[in-house]
Amino acid sequence: MRNKVIETRKTGRRTRTSHAQVVDELGKAIVAGTYPVGSILPGDTELAQRFKVSRTVLRETMKTLAAKGMIVAKARVGTRVTEKNLWNMFDSEIIAWHFDNGVTEEFLLQLYDIRLAVEPFAAGLVTERANAEDIEMLRGLALEMAATGHTADSLALADLRFHLAIAEASHNPFMRTLGSLIEAALVGMFRISTPPSENGFANIADTHMRIVDAIVSGDSAAARHAMELVILDGRHHVHEAFAAHGSPAVMEPISPAI
């Protein structure tokens, strides 16, 4: 799998089409408040000249942003930025734009709220539905976290692979759509926290292996509880990091892709 937050700007952003580049620039500007909620975007002529694109590309851009819930076009009024409660916060690009503009503690903790609402249940489903191949994959991914020499980036990737595998092993397609939320929460935690040896991440393999052991034993309640503890631990690290640093952070994507 390949996710938005961990793509590099070198391989992910510079090779985009004109349409994707304009979507990216306008989307980031809206999230940053350059075009605040309720404001009217510049007209087609101005935007076409600014981005040096055709009217066709611009129309497609507006359709894309409208589909994300970020803008609405009205005759004789123009294109207005909508209220944030209308934005599709499950959209991976919208999540990435929040990271580009400086992620806040509130934003990351809200991601963890969603994880707590969904991932423990997913772990319970895996207990009921996983096959031998799924279990072997999960065990291997948990063991990967115990490898020596991890950096914050490589450990975040190992952690992400495990949680995305849980979503896959639930054999519920709706769970798989939450990959961007899981990714953003994990990348955020590792980016703002201190290196693993200093902040308690050293036991991460053990805590994730407890999830696998519960799945193998067929104990769905134990699997849910073990997953909940893992997520709560991550949430605690986020809170601690912001308490220590006291400011939001702009986070560069992790370079390797999955």
Side-chain angles (χ1 to χ4, degrees), residues 23 25 35 38 51 57 66 75 88 157-158 173 176 193 236 250 253:
V23 168
E25 290 301 318
Y35 301 116
F51 293 110
V57 169
N88 178 13
L157 284 167
R176 297 168 190 157
S193 299
H236 175 70
V250 176

Side-chain angles (χ1 to χ4, degrees), residues 16-31:
R16 289 182 171 183
T17 63
S18 296
H19 163 258
Q21 288 173 352
V22 179
V23 168
D24 190 56
E25 290 301 318
L26 282 178
K28 283 193 292 187
I30 290 171
V31 170

Side-chain angles (χ1 to χ4, degrees), residues 152 188-196 199 201 234 237-238 241 245:
M189 176 186 69
F190 281 98
R191 281 299 192 186
I192 64 175
S193 299
T194 52
N199 67 0
F201 290 164
H237 282 302
V238 169
H245 303 310

Side-chain angles (χ1 to χ4, degrees), residues 90 113-123 174-175 178 227 231:
F90 289 85
D113 289 344
I114 298 300
R115 291 189 68 197
L116 279 170
V118 174
E119 287 191 76
F121 186 77
F174 293 99
M175 292 293 182
L178 300 177
M227 177 65 81
I231 297 170

